[in-house]
């Protein structure tokens, strides 16, 4: 990710996160729209983990990073624990849920036989370093693949595609697409690429930069900004926990997320890509999407991006 922010949830929101009803419905789309209501029952997060495969011994050669992880018995994962829908820590159980957290636990199970990982909190400034010095084996953190980053670390995937979207106040009906941002006051995070994207897609908008997601969200709530632009995947987390805002329209840029692995362990990238292909083919990827992101998006699970399809992957 271009360091998008980490969502800070209130106690009530965290409770809601633990109690959410998991559903999915509607027709398929590459980038689904925010969910309105209804839907068929979806598998639970735990059911998806329980059904995850375990790699045969022949897939883990001696001397590989995977063999070291298996011998250690724990996958060291760089990630976050406050991102609704992607990696959120339950304050009571201490367990992580979300799409990234689920993928990390499925990969851990595939290598070690058990779905648990050792989470190391990362920021956009530390991800590459922690992979390079061996502190973490992988990074799952809505981590956008870019050619520049691929000079420092390797990326398996892409495993998910998001893009810049728009968040507005719940009662706002004047903004539904990027063209509607013309002349409006629009906020985003100073550390994100959305600021540059706005120069291209909404050149007449008055852009306000904030340091955090919370500041941007509050600006929209309080009417200091007409809209907030950032990755749809993260804005949905805001919508999920705050009934005063909503995500509108479709993403207008492409943000392919990859799984960061050490550049010095090319066998790990090939191994993770093979595992991704397997869980996509057997439906585990789609079931995990339904149990997490699909709880707030309309439509069936999207078609995953083709592995190796973007520069840097």
């Amino acid at each position: 990710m271009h360091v998008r922010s980490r969502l800070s949830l209130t106690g009530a929101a965290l409770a809601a996160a633990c109690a959410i009803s998991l559903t999915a419905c509607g027709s398929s789309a590459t980038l689904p729209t925010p969910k309105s209501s209804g839907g068929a029952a979806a598998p639970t997060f735990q059911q998806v983990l329980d059904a995850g495969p375990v790699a045969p011994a022949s897939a883990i050669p001696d001397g590989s990073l995977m063999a070291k992880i298996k011998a250690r018995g724990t996958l060291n994962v760089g990630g976050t624990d406050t991102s609704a829908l992607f990696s959120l820590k339950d304050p009571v159980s201490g367990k992580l849920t979300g799409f990234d957290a689920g993928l990390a636990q499925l990969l851990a199970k595939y290598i070690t036989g058990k779905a648990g990982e050792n989470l190391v909190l990362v920021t956009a400034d530390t991800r590459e370093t922690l992979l390079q010095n061996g502190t973490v084996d992988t990074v799952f953190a809505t981590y956008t693949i870019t050619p520049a980053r691929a000079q420092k670390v390797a990326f398996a995937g892409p495993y998910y595609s998001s893009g810049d979207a728009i968040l507005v106040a719940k009662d706002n009906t004047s903004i539904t697409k990027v063209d509607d941002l013309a002349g409006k006051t629009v906020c985003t995070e100073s550390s994100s690429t959305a600021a540059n994207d706005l120069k291209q897609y909404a050149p007449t908008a008055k852009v306000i930069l904030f340091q955090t997601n919370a500041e941007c969200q509050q600006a929209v709530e309080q009417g200091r900004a007409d809209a907030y632009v950032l990755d749809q995947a993260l804005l949905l987390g805001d919508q999920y926990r705050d009934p005063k805002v909503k995500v509108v329209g479709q993403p207008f840029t492409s943000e392919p997320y990859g799984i960061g692995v050490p550049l010095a362990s090319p066998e790990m990238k090939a191994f993770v890509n093979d595992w991704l292909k397997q869980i996509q083919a057997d439906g585990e990827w789609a079931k995990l999407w339904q149990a997490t992101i699909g709880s707030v998006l309309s439509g069936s699970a999207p078609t995953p991006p083709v592995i190796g399809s973007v520069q840097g992957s």
Side-chain angles (χ1 to χ4, degrees):
M1 138 176 134
H2 331 283
V3 186
R4 313 292 194 175
S5 63
R6 292 154 59 180
L7 304 174
S8 176
L9 299 187
T10 63
L14 288 166
C18 299
I20 188 170
S21 173
L22 304 174
T23 56
C25 67
S27 59
S28 62
T30 302
L31 289 169
T33 55
K35 181 173 228 160
S36 54
S37 62
T44 67
F45 184 77
Q46 189 59 50
Q47 287 173 333
V48 176
L49 297 184
D50 290 343
V54 177
S58 59
I60 302 180
D62 293 341
S64 65
L65 177 56
M66 300 84 74
K68 294 177 183 176
I69 296 167
K70 185 173 182 178
R72 186 197 307 143
T74 303
L75 178 68
N76 293 328
V77 176
T80 64
D81 63 0
T82 57
S83 179
L85 307 180
F86 278 87
S87 186
L88 180 67
K89 185 177 182 179
D90 184 320
V92 178
S93 69
K95 294 182 178 180
L96 293 165
T97 59
F99 193 65
D100 278 353
L103 284 175
Q105 291 174 56
L106 284 171
L107 179 61
K109 181 179 180 181
Y110 191 63
I111 299 174
T112 69
K114 55 183 179 182
E117 87 276 36
N118 175 39
L119 178 68
V120 178
L121 295 178
V122 299
T123 68
D125 294 328
T126 63
R127 289 174 301 196
E128 284 87 26
T129 299
L130 294 177
L131 279 170
Q132 290 170 330
N133 66 21
T135 301
V136 300
D137 306 307
T138 62
V139 168
F140 288 82
T142 56
Y143 196 3
T144 299
I145 300 170
T146 71
R149 289 171 179 161
Q151 298 296 315
K152 302 176 182 177
V153 302
F155 285 104
Y159 66 91
Y160 189 76
S161 182
S162 187
D164 286 341
I166 304 167
L167 180 137
V168 297
K170 190 74 172 183
D171 59 357
N172 186 319
T173 58
S174 65
I175 298 175
T176 61
K177 57 186 182 301
V178 67
D179 289 347
D180 297 333
L181 299 179
K184 298 292 197 305
T185 300
V186 182
C187 61
T188 190
E189 293 182 31
S190 57
S191 57
S192 75
T193 58
N196 286 328
D197 294 337
L198 283 169
K199 294 177 183 176
Q200 175 182 353
Y201 291 94
T204 63
K206 179 184 178 183
V207 177
I208 301 176
L209 300 178
F210 292 101
Q211 292 293 318
T212 68
N213 172 73
E215 291 174 295
C216 293
Q217 183 183 341
Q218 288 173 3
V220 172
E221 279 188 22
Q222 297 168 358
R224 291 182 287 123
D226 299 305
Y228 171 24
V229 170
L230 201 66
D231 283 11
Q232 185 201 50
L234 298 177
L235 293 183
L236 288 168
D238 293 343
Q239 173 184 274
Y240 171 67
R241 67 188 175 88
D242 185 353
K244 297 178 182 177
V245 299
K246 62 182 178 182
V247 179
V248 295
Q250 283 287 308
F252 54 91
T253 64
S254 177
E255 303 292 340
Y257 295 162
I259 300 168
V261 296
L263 195 60
S265 301
E267 78 281 3
M268 184 68 172
K269 175 179 176 177
F271 178 86
V272 175
N273 276 337
D274 288 344
W275 163 75
L276 278 174
K277 293 174 184 175
Q278 178 175 338
I279 64 171
Q280 290 173 2
D282 67 14
E284 285 292 312
W285 187 98
K287 290 176 182 176
L288 179 63
W289 184 92
Q290 290 173 328
T292 55
I293 304 168
S295 63
V296 297
L297 286 180
S298 293
S300 302
T303 300
V306 176
I307 292 171
S309 60
V310 301
Q311 191 176 4
S313 63

